[in-house]
Amino acid sequence: MSEAPAQRVDEADWAAITEEIGEHGSALTPMLLDPAECAEVAGLYDEAERFRSTVDMARHRFGSGQYRYFREPLPAPVAALREALYPRLLPIARDWAARLRRPAPWPDSLAEWLDRCHAAGQSDPTPLLLRYRAGDWNALHRDLYGELVFPLQVVIGLDVPGADYTGGEFLTVEQRPRAQSRGTSVVLPQGHGLVFTTRDRPVRSARGWSAAPVRHGVSTVRSGLRRTLGLVFHDAA
């Protein structure tokens, strides 16, 4: 199973995806997991031993619903997708850093980058499964777990919108320089990934390039069960 998702990552039109991310701050990928693979990954949620922690969103006032962070070793398809996506997103990350005149601390391989995270005290794995039922939602937020941050992340839909659930659109809100914020909603097709901004991204301004902060969340699920796989490329303290 792990080879097919990585191959699909490599076969995607990354020039087009990069252009769309530059325009909108996010972009859908082609299918990365087929329906059987989606069901297999979603089914891992009930195997508690695979996870290092479980978060009840309502208890922490993050919204409503639940998510679980995987423990090491990551399941094969999760690890394969993370490793295949990192080098595709790396040129975007470095380009953004150059535009914003910031350091670009990300090495060529995910393994090297995670070693740096671990050396800085960020040693907890961050890939996660999220589960929403009717009435659940996720407040706007940013996934920052320490000083070291990779500027892009990916969420993959594991269920069929309109059939398995209704509502539950993926939301981003971008704070534009000296302007009102811009909101975007995306319906996640089953098996497709959405690449989106982790913290902020460069946007053109009167002075050249400015950093536009971005937050993301999930609108209220109206019915059914919505599950997603989240891939964050920096580990947590």
Side-chain angles (χ1 to χ4, degrees), residues 47-170:
E47 300 179 19
E49 68 277 5
R50 290 185 176 271
F51 300 93
R52 64 175 178 85
S53 68
T54 300
V55 177
D56 183 282
M57 285 188 260
R59 188 162 72 89
H60 295 279
R61 304 189 71 180
F62 294 162
S64 178
Q66 193 179 84
Y67 55 88
R68 287 181 155 178
Y69 288 104
F70 284 103
R71 68 169 69 249
E72 293 285 0
L74 299 177
V78 177
L81 282 168
R82 203 183 189 203
E83 290 173 7
L85 284 162
Y86 176 85
R88 298 296 183 174
L89 302 178
L90 183 59
I92 304 172
R94 288 173 171 169
D95 178 63
W96 285 9
R99 294 183 185 190
L100 294 174
R101 298 181 180 180
R102 292 176 174 173
W106 313 288
D108 291 341
S109 74
L110 177 64
E112 292 175 278
W113 169 236
L114 294 179
D115 284 344
R116 294 189 187 183
C117 290
H118 299 170
Q122 295 176 214
S123 57
D124 290 333
T126 49
L128 69 163
L129 284 180
L130 303 99
R131 185 182 70 187
Y132 303 84
R133 294 191 170 102
D136 289 343
W137 57 284
N138 195 347
L140 294 170
H141 66 285
R142 295 185 289 182
D143 295 316
L144 308 176
Y145 303 112
E147 183 178 347
L148 297 182
V149 176
F150 193 77
L152 295 148
Q153 59 194 91
V154 179
V155 60
I156 299 173
L158 300 177
D159 296 292
V160 180
D164 295 325
Y165 67 92
T166 60
E169 295 85 4
F170 188 89

